Amino acid sequence: MEGHGSYSQAYRVGQGAGILPFWAFAQSSEGHTVFDSEFERNLFELRRTKLAEIEKLGQAAYPNQFPASHTVPEVREKWSAVSAEELDANRVTVAVAGRIMAIRAQGKAGFATLQQGGQRLQIYVRMDAVGEQGFALYKLLDLGDHIGVTGYLFRTRTGELTVHVERLTFLSKAMLSLPEKYHGLADVELRYRQRYVDLFTNLDSREVFVKRAKVLKAVRQFFDERGYLEVETPMMQQIAGGAAARPFRTHHNALDQDLFLRIAPELYLKRLVVGGLDRVYEINRNFRNEGVSTQHNPEFTMLEFYQAYANYHDLMQITEELMEFVARAVNGTPVTEFYGHTIDLSRWQRLSMREAIRQYWPEEAGPKPALTAFESAEVLRARLHAAIGSLEKAAGLTTQITPERLSELKTIREAVTAVYYDSMKDAPLGKSIYNLFEAVAEPFLIQPTIIYDYPVEVSPLSKAKPDDPAHVERFEFFAGGFELGNAFSELNDPVEQHKRFEQQLSERDRGDDEAHQMDEDYVRALAYGLPPTGGEGIGIDRLTMLLTGSKSIRDVILFPLMRKESTSKDKEPEIS
RNA sequence: GAGCUCGUAGCUCAGUAGGUAGAGCAACGCCCUUUUAAGGCGUGGGUCCUGGGUUCGAAUCCCAGCGAGCUCACCA
């Protein structure tokens, strides 16, 4: 199996490798160890001698299994409502395993709390019940150890459901000390880098990822029930298409060929619709070589789905149904709390992009653009110029404006100014409109909103509106102030598609390195005939953020990308 | 890429007229057979992120670097 390769790799001691063989931990002098301190080194040594003592008691240091009768959550579910009297009358024996998260010894007895599956169960160990050997083992246990216990359920004086242990089985030792038990692991950086610690010390964090799994499951259920086929398309592509973004580059040695990590699966999924897979969806990673922020991780999970014979009106309907369905599956309600906002994913508003600009136009920017302003670059530019002036004037009236609003206005003014200057540099009108929308409206789209009818210039893969060639049948939808997804009636005219790609190439020449590349094979696929098709992409990470009340995308990604951790040893001269 | 803030014991945090560091948890020893942020007595643990500088003296002031968070830019 392929696994062997990575196994030996993980156990090689290499420069800068964070993974070390077990025996390296024992090296107490300098050299490569994961310990920065005497404290951890000493603790590790101490725990090793404890492990040896545990073995002397007849227990395996690293046994291979424990036959539990119940999980901790199962015990809690089954007996949390059962009274002390009933438990005494009908004695229930259970075997459960878990990690010790609290331990309190009291002479010849003691309590400990086992954690498993995100839930906790108290155990009570007394010498006269487990014997001297058993109690000797108990005294060798540390916070973080895994143990299995067999015993009967009872309730303590304070009424807590507890296992009265009759047999104690050692399962695995924590060789390092756990975070502070009351606050847990609070350091954000450590929580991301050492997610394994975060997950068992901060149960809220665990809950986020449980919900994330529910999001994925609900999405699959939704599409499976509607006759979609789940597919997987290439993540290494010769042309990184389907979106506007800078790709990561890589290289295949045997083929001596440069490849891109995909920025979207879109063009492959539509090839599948050409191939007769009328309804397909894919959930997988996209990679974009862009900045990192609370809303952007270089690799992120995207859902894309395509449906033949559907247009963007159908997709709006599906989107609203899907969002409500997923929210209910994850939280039991379409309502989610997101940083002071109550967001109801069963209630959507729909606005055209031009309406949205007018509706969210800040009053400090003067009169909102007339609908006709969106038809002429010159007229729009003049309106922008005036708006910038008004915004500057408003910024001067600091006494009449709250600091928050002032800061918002500053952001808006800077964005509008950027749109204005881009327009001076002959940016296409549609691009200005789109950027203007992002400047004045997007951050304020807290409640679920569909924004439809996008300018053709920013939508190289979408189909034009039959009665309005300047706009395409495309929408994006928003909640919590950020974009969740993007959908459109797919352009299926190969001649038109070829022309759009060429327009993108000229945008590239104008300096836009995120403009789309030419994909001749995709055009050929269209030439075989793509039925009228609607397609949509939804950011799973952002949806999860919304449904878990997480403000940073890193809180919903198990191992977000971090800069390489440098230790003092790394600073010594390197070979390069 | 820019601005702001932060980096002190394994963890959570104190610590400025600049005088070579403290608490709680965790650890170690002893006591305690219904505790639950158990308790009591005692002990150990720190290149104060790194490197320079100012100073008789730097965790503290200055500069540079590294890492992180937030905001912005880019984007989804």
Side-chain angles (χ1 to χ4, degrees):
Chain A
M1 259 184 64
E2 192 173 8
H4 286 92
S6 58
Y7 185 84
S8 59
Q9 194 131 36
Y11 277 68
R12 189 182 306 146
V13 190
Q15 75 257 30
I19 302 166
L20 292 157
F22 186 73
W23 44 263
F25 284 83
Q27 297 178 342
S28 55
S29 55
E30 62 284 332
H32 290 285
T33 78
V34 295
F35 306 128
D36 286 333
S37 69
E38 276 306 306
F39 177 89
E40 286 201 327
R41 215 187 309 279
N42 292 341
L43 186 63
F44 196 90
E45 284 306 312
L46 185 68
R47 297 274 159 104
R48 293 196 75 200
T49 61
K50 279 188 173 181
L51 255 186
E53 287 177 50
I54 287 169
E55 284 184 296
K56 279 185 205 149
L57 292 171
Q59 301 266 343
Y62 290 95
N64 286 359
Q65 48 89 248
F66 178 78
S69 65
H70 301 80
T71 63
V72 166
E74 282 167 358
V75 170
R76 295 216 74 95
E77 175 167 8
K78 257 182 128 160
W79 288 287
S80 62
V82 178
S83 72
E85 293 72 26
E86 283 176 78
L87 287 172
D88 287 341
N90 305 303
R91 189 167 274 192
V92 179
T93 297
V94 295
V96 294
R99 187 195 280 274
I100 299 173
M101 295 304 290
I103 188 162
R104 302 174 286 279
Q106 298 166 56
K108 294 183 174 58
F111 289 89
T113 303
L114 295 189
Q115 179 172 297
Q116 185 194 28
Q119 293 193 36
R120 296 183 170 196
L121 180 65
Q122 179 169 268
I123 64 167
Y124 178 53
V125 181
R126 42 192 291 170
M127 178 137 64
D128 54 16
V130 297
E132 280 192 30
Q133 291 249 313
F135 203 72
L137 171 59
Y138 176 76
K139 287 204 283 195
L140 288 165
L141 295 177
D142 292 297
L143 280 179
D145 288 1
H146 295 270
I147 59 168
V149 299
T150 305
Y152 57 89
L153 294 173
F154 78 110
R155 286 188 184 275
T156 62
R157 271 176 205 156
T158 53
E160 176 151 354
L161 185 66
T162 304
V163 180
H164 198 294
V165 177
E166 293 169 313
R167 198 167 71 243
L168 203 54
T169 307
F170 180 77
L171 297 179
S172 180
K173 199 144 201 57
M175 309 297 278
L176 298 168
S177 75
L178 264 49
E180 208 252 4
K181 68 180 168 190
Y182 190 61
H183 298 93
L185 193 63
D187 185 299
V188 181
E189 181 178 353
L190 280 179
R191 289 186 45 224
Y192 297 154
R193 289 194 195 275
Q194 302 184 20
R195 187 68 88 181
Y196 37 89
V197 179
D198 180 46
L199 282 172
F200 73 79
T201 52
N202 300 322
L203 292 179
D204 288 349
S205 180
R206 177 196 171 97
E207 187 56 26
V208 166
F209 295 103
V210 170
K211 283 190 173 179
R212 184 180 173 120
K214 287 182 180 171
V215 169
L216 293 172
K217 193 175 170 188
V219 166
R220 288 198 163 96
Q221 187 190 339
F222 184 91
F223 287 106
D224 291 345
E225 284 173 354
R226 284 163 177 76
Y228 285 74
L229 191 68
E230 180 170 7
V231 297
E232 292 158 287
T233 61
M235 304 189 43
M236 299 163 82
Q237 304 179 343
Q238 291 167 23
I239 296 167
R246 281 198 295 271
F248 286 94
R249 199 180 290 270
T250 187
H251 185 79
H252 188 284
N253 289 339
L255 298 184
D256 188 22
Q257 182 175 54
D258 283 336
L259 292 166
F260 297 102
L261 301 188
R262 77 174 184 195
I263 56 176
E266 165 143 357
L267 301 186
Y268 282 93
L269 290 171
K270 278 186 276 187
R271 283 172 170 99
L272 296 180
V273 180
V274 170
L277 305 181
D278 282 356
R279 295 184 175 202
V280 291
Y281 74 97
E282 175 164 9
I283 302 174
N284 221 320
R285 229 64 68 76
N286 287 351
F287 306 87
R288 298 191 183 174
N289 208 339
E290 315 267 354
V292 173
S293 79
T294 49
Q295 284 167 34
H296 301 84
N297 196 61
E299 55 175 310
F300 64 102
T301 300
M302 181 80 126
L303 157 71
E304 287 202 12
F305 62 94
Y306 290 80
Q307 179 173 332
Y309 315 116
N311 68 7
Y312 79 146
H313 293 293
D314 303 310
L315 293 177
M316 288 186 205
Q317 184 64 33
I318 292 172
T319 299
E320 294 184 4
E321 286 172 19
L322 173 66
M323 289 297 108
E324 181 174 351
F325 179 80
V326 173
R328 284 187 192 278
V330 172
N331 289 326
T333 163
V335 177
T336 181
E337 292 298 323
F338 192 76
Y339 283 82
H341 300 290
T342 300
I343 296 173
D344 185 347
L345 288 167
S346 66
R347 295 163 53 98
W348 289 78
Q349 68 165 335
R350 298 183 184 182
L351 294 171
S352 77
M353 178 171 283
R354 285 158 288 178
E355 285 166 357
I357 292 171
R358 286 164 53 78
Q359 179 163 329
Y360 288 91
W361 187 260
E363 56 177 306
E364 295 88 340
K368 58 186 65 170
L371 280 174
T372 51
F374 299 117
E375 288 162 15
S376 150
E378 290 71 32
V379 175
L380 185 65
R381 199 180 300 146
R383 184 78 281 278
L384 293 180
H385 187 78
I388 294 164
S390 300
L391 286 166
E392 270 166 8
K393 211 160 96 190
L397 309 170
T398 48
T399 49
Q400 293 161 40
I401 299 180
T402 64
E404 294 77 28
R405 185 59 182 161
L406 197 62
S407 146
E408 273 177 11
L409 288 178
K410 181 167 176 270
T411 307
I412 293 172
R413 193 182 75 231
E414 285 169 0
V416 171
T417 305
V419 176
Y420 175 72
Y421 282 118
D422 205 31
S423 158
M424 296 289 280
K425 286 187 286 180
D426 292 328
L429 172 63
K431 194 153 193 179
S432 296
I433 294 172
Y434 178 69
N435 288 331
L436 185 59
F437 161 75
E438 291 196 324
V440 303
E442 176 171 353
F444 304 102
L445 299 177
I446 305 296
Q447 294 302 323
T449 305
I450 285 173
I451 301 291
Y452 60 89
D453 289 358
Y454 276 54
V456 64
E457 296 93 327
V458 294
S459 314
L461 303 164
S462 318
K463 206 171 195 172
K465 285 169 70 76
D467 54 347
D468 177 6
H471 292 89
V472 293
E473 289 196 351
R474 173 184 176 192
F475 69 90
E476 293 186 325
F477 57 103
F478 302 80
F482 51 78
E483 181 189 338
L484 284 170
N486 179 23
F488 40 87
S489 303
E490 304 295 338
L491 177 60
N492 59 348
D493 173 350
V495 175
E496 174 67 14
Q497 181 65 71
H498 196 266
K499 207 157 78 190
R500 299 269 191 97
F501 277 148
E502 281 180 336
Q503 281 164 2
Q504 288 291 307
L505 290 180
S506 69
E507 276 295 285
R508 227 162 226 277
D509 291 341
R510 211 175 67 88
D512 184 351
D513 54 359
E514 286 168 0
H516 211 287
Q517 298 177 60
M518 173 64 72
D519 188 336
E520 299 282 3
D521 179 71
Y522 175 68
V523 176
R524 174 169 52 204
L526 292 187
Y528 276 99
L530 174 70
T533 299
E536 177 163 337
I538 299 178
I540 293 295
D541 310 274
R542 289 187 179 176
L543 179 55
T544 306
M545 286 166 67
L546 194 64
L547 294 176
T548 57
S550 305
K551 203 157 194 183
S552 170
I553 198 169
R554 298 181 148 202
D555 291 323
V556 302
I557 292 174
L558 281 166
F559 297 100
L561 184 69
M562 304 288 279
R563 249 179 254 272
K564 189 182 156 198
E565 199 174 12
S566 76
T567 66
S568 47
K569 282 160 197 144
D570 290 336
K571 297 209 177 92
E572 276 156 36
E574 285 179 22
I575 306 160
S576 66

